[in-house]
Amino acid sequence: MKKLLNEISKCTICEDFLPLGPNPIVRASKTARILIIGQAPGTKVHKTNIPWNDPSGNQLRKWLNISDITFYDTTKIAIVPMGFCYPGKGKTGDLPPRKECAELWHDKLLSKMPNLELILLIGQYAQKHYLKEENKITLTETVSNFEAYLPKYFPLPHPSPRNRFWLQKNEWFEERVIPILQQKTDKILSK
C-alpha cells in the first residue's frame, strides 16, 4: 500500500487541466473497513492536504456520528475521491472530478483493502461509476433506494452546504437514512 500511495502522490497525468496543479489527496490503508468515495478536493482541501477539511466534511462527520479522530484514522476509514486533485471552478461550483483518477487508481487501491465492509458513495459521480446500470435516473432515487445497494455500497448525497435545499425538500433522508447509516458505521467501527 505504501508503494501505491507514493506512486499516487507523484501522479501528474492530468496536470495540464488542473488550475492549482497536481496535489493528489488520498488516504488509505490495508486495514480500512469503511471507504468514503466522494467527488474531488476543493480549494481548502487542496491547500491543507486534509480531505473533507471543510463544511462538507463537518456535515459528513455529523451524518456518520463520528469524531474527527475516528474519521481521519486510516486504519479504519479510507478516503478515495473520484478525482484526487482540485479540478477547478465551473459556473455553479467546482468542475466535475477528472476521470483519469478512478480509471487509473481505484481498482489498484481497492485490491489493497481486503477488509472493507462498507463503501460510501457520495454524490452522483461515485454512484454512476460504482453502481453502473443499477444506478437510478436521479440521485434522489438512488439515495432513497439505498437498501438495494447494501451491504457493500451506501449511496449518499453530497454533504455540501449547497445541498441544503435538497435536504430541506427530502426530509426523509435525515429521518430514515441517517439513523441506518449511523448504525452501520458504528457497528463496523466498534469491532
Side-chain angles (χ1 to χ4, degrees):
M1 179 64 88
K2 280 185 180 180
K3 183 181 176 189
L4 179 57
L5 290 172
N6 188 45
E7 278 182 63
I8 291 169
S9 73
K10 295 175 183 175
C11 181
T12 58
I13 193 167
C14 44
E15 181 175 28
D16 294 342
F17 304 100
L18 303 172
L20 301 180
N23 184 23
I25 309 289
V26 175
R27 292 195 176 189
S29 77
K30 64 182 179 181
T31 61
R33 295 192 303 273
I34 295 176
L35 171 59
I36 298 171
I37 302 178
Q39 295 181 178
T43 54
K44 185 174 182 183
V45 170
H46 177 87
K47 289 174 188 170
T48 64
N49 292 321
I50 302 170
W52 295 97
N53 181 29
D54 54 19
S56 297
N58 295 338
Q59 182 63 49
L60 179 58
R61 287 185 286 282
K62 183 179 171 187
W63 285 352
L64 296 169
N65 194 32
I66 60 174
S67 68
D68 288 3
I69 292 169
T70 300
F71 187 82
Y72 291 114
D73 182 347
T74 57
T75 65
K76 297 177 182 179
I77 297 176
I79 301 171
V80 179
M82 291 301 295
F84 297 170
C85 299
Y86 173 67
K89 202 74 158 156
K91 290 180 182 178
T92 59
D94 292 344
L95 291 171
R98 301 286 313 167
K99 293 182 179 183
E100 294 89 342
C101 297
E103 293 169 1
L104 184 60
W105 301 111
H106 276 218
D107 286 345
K108 293 175 185 177
L109 282 162
L110 287 168
S111 73
K112 303 269 186 205
M113 293 187 278
N115 299 313
L116 289 177
E117 295 180 45
L118 185 64
I119 300 174
L120 307 181
L121 301 174
I122 300 176
Q124 65 176 333
Y125 301 109
Q127 291 163 16
K128 285 180 182 177
H129 182 83
Y130 280 91
L131 300 178
K132 303 189 184 330
E133 65 277 347
E134 293 179 39
N135 190 42
K136 305 292 182 194
I137 294 171
T138 67
L139 178 133
T140 302
E141 286 180 88
T142 301
V143 172
S144 67
N145 287 289
F146 72 96
E147 290 168 312
Y149 308 108
L150 292 171
K152 185 174 184 177
Y153 297 118
F154 204 121
L156 298 168
H158 197 283
S160 168
R162 289 191 178 112
N163 278 347
R164 68 185 179 278
F165 297 116
W166 186 92
L167 291 169
Q168 289 169 355
K169 185 178 176 184
N170 297 286
E171 291 179 1
W172 53 265
F173 174 72
E174 289 193 338
E175 293 168 3
R176 185 172 70 92
V177 179
I178 292 300
I180 295 170
L181 175 65
Q182 291 177 354
Q183 179 186 32
K184 292 199 171 300
T185 301
D186 183 59
K187 185 177 179 183
I188 292 168
L189 294 177
S190 63
K191 291 180 182 176

